[in-house]
Amino acid sequence: MTKPVFRFAPSPNGRLHLGHAYSALLNANFARRFGGRFLLRIEDIDITRCRPEFEAAIYDDLAWLGLVWEKPVRRQSEHFADYRAAFLRLKGRGVVYPCFCTRKDIAQTIACLEAEGGQDWPRDPDGAPLYPGTCRAILPDGAESRIAAGEPHAWRLDKAAVRRLLPGPHAFRRLDRDGREEAVTADPWRWGDAVIVRKEIPTSYHLSVVMDDALQGVTHVVRGQDLEAATDLHVLLQGLLELPTPLYHHHGLVLDPTGDKLAKSRQSRPLAELRVEGVTPQVIWQRLGFEPQPTPST
Ligand code: GLU
């Protein structure tokens, strides 16, 4: 039997905090428990927000925590060709269309639709309004000439076209904290015509994560509950790209003392800061509910 493969996949756009430490330790712990492999993946597709110093700090923080991961580390920014190939596959299946709308165009269309309909326009699980479908109506010839003229565009999944190909029901298997499996129904349609290739970069989080998990043979995706809803879309992409669907475990988030989710944007305390103050990795493990492990000898 092949070994289970786990991965921790941070984005180097800020310093790691306790929430990241929890996710990394949980993955490493599961890998140890299941006799599996533990990978680290750097999710740096957003080249404007990711910085080399944050990436270097990820390696320092994780090594300080006592984690050991396989080398070489996969850095998404070195694999745009893989995501392009996946996108071309989706294009070949006729399930994507180019979208030339700016954020402002979309906001204006939705404001009109809300005014006309007298009710709020539906939102996706992240709270963003579902795309109203404006560019779906553009004929292929027109779209091609706008692309040829260099007009900036994203690519969206055509929900209706996907539904014809893969009507569902869609499902995946979830792993609970004790390692038990259960079937879960996925509802990818609640994401509407999701962006699959962003305007400013040649991929998206959803497309890259699905491709990388498959290319790296990841069998168990262990990540925060904030990404649970995204799994529905990931399962759909796996279906469209004929990739295996891993098992999923979405862990609870580490909250700050006010009960809010820790977020880099809210300046929650970076691990490096705790380290400088003399907090030990053992204290972090205990605080996060893990049995302290002996520090690996180097
Ligand atoms: N790169 C994502 C983040 O830092 C995690 C992606 C994943 O685990 O699927 O939130």
Side-chain angles (χ1 to χ4, degrees), residues 7-13 20 23 27 41-44 76 205 209 213 221-224 226-227 234 248 264:
R7 85 322 189 256
F8 173 57
S11 298
N13 54 14
H20 298 106
S23 203
N27 269 287
R41 183 166 75 224
I42 299 294
E43 300 214 324
D44 58 348
Q76 290 189 323
Y205 158 64
V209 86
D213 284 338
V221 171
V222 175
R223 59 186 176 193
D226 51 342
L227 292 171
H234 299 177
Y248 286 91
K264 282 173 273 203

Side-chain angles (χ1 to χ4, degrees), residues 259-286:
D260 273 338
K261 177 182 141 182
L262 294 183
K264 282 173 273 203
S265 51
R266 263 179 269 163
Q267 304 295 310
S268 65
R269 308 210 37 221
L271 291 176
E273 219 174 278
L274 303 174
R275 180 166 77 202
V276 168
E277 280 172 17
V279 176
T280 63
Q282 286 77 4
V283 166
I284 306 272
W285 292 334
Q286 264 160 347

Side-chain angles (χ1 to χ4, degrees), residues 1-258:
M1 211 180 88
T2 52
K3 283 186 171 188
V5 181
F6 293 80
R7 85 322 189 256
F8 173 57
S11 298
N13 54 14
R15 306 273 171 204
L16 298 191
H17 53 60
L18 280 174
H20 298 106
Y22 180 72
S23 203
L25 286 170
L26 190 62
N27 269 287
N29 254 27
F30 266 132
R32 199 177 303 119
R33 214 164 89 199
F34 291 113
R37 295 166 53 203
F38 174 59
L39 312 180
L40 171 64
R41 183 166 75 224
I42 299 294
E43 300 214 324
D44 58 348
I45 53 169
D46 197 340
I47 36 193
T48 54
R49 292 177 61 221
C50 293
R51 299 224 298 261
E53 60 269 32
F54 291 138
E55 184 179 332
I58 289 174
Y59 302 132
D60 284 351
D61 288 343
L62 297 181
W64 172 71
L65 280 173
L67 295 176
V68 180
W69 56 92
E70 288 184 18
K71 316 273 184 328
V73 166
R74 186 173 169 95
R75 300 170 75 234
Q76 290 189 323
S77 58
E78 291 167 356
H79 298 279
F80 285 126
D82 289 334
Y83 315 134
R84 168 97 190 141
F87 157 67
L88 290 176
R89 227 166 142 217
L90 295 175
K91 194 164 173 243
R93 299 199 76 178
V95 291
V96 288
Y97 63 89
C99 172
F100 303 92
C101 292
T102 60
R103 273 172 214 269
K104 199 168 152 204
D105 294 333
I106 298 174
Q108 278 172 350
T109 307
I110 285 165
C112 289
L113 289 166
E114 286 185 335
E116 270 168 31
Q119 55 186 6
D120 287 348
W121 186 252
R123 315 233 144 203
D124 74 16
D126 284 344
L130 293 185
Y131 180 63
T134 322
C135 289
R136 208 189 304 122
I138 302 174
L139 294 173
D141 279 359
E144 265 162 43
S145 50
R146 286 172 75 171
I147 293 172
E151 192 173 339
H153 58 284
W155 287 85
R156 292 180 178 275
L157 268 189
D158 182 339
K159 188 174 98 171
V162 177
R163 224 175 178 147
R164 282 192 293 274
L165 268 183
L166 296 180
H170 298 282
F172 61 95
R173 296 191 72 73
R174 177 161 69 194
L175 200 67
D176 71 15
R177 218 195 139 106
D178 302 315
R180 279 187 299 257
E181 280 181 39
E182 60 180 342
V184 187
T185 307
D187 175 13
W189 315 123
R190 60 190 169 138
W191 287 97
D193 285 3
V195 170
I196 247 33
V197 170
R198 282 162 50 181
K199 209 179 253 183
E200 64 291 356
I201 48 173
T203 183
S204 62
Y205 158 64
H206 302 299
L207 187 60
S208 322
V209 86
V210 157
M211 278 314 290
D212 283 354
D213 284 338
L215 290 167
Q216 295 190 287
V218 171
T219 57
H220 294 65
V221 171
V222 175
R223 59 186 176 193
Q225 258 163 10
D226 51 342
L227 292 171
E228 192 161 12
T231 304
D232 292 5
L233 193 52
H234 299 177
V235 169
L236 189 71
L237 285 173
Q238 286 151 2
L240 286 169
L241 294 164
E242 295 171 312
L243 304 173
T245 294
L247 280 169
Y248 286 91
H249 173 81
H250 295 101
H251 58 75
L253 301 176
V254 179
L255 304 177
D256 69 15
T258 60

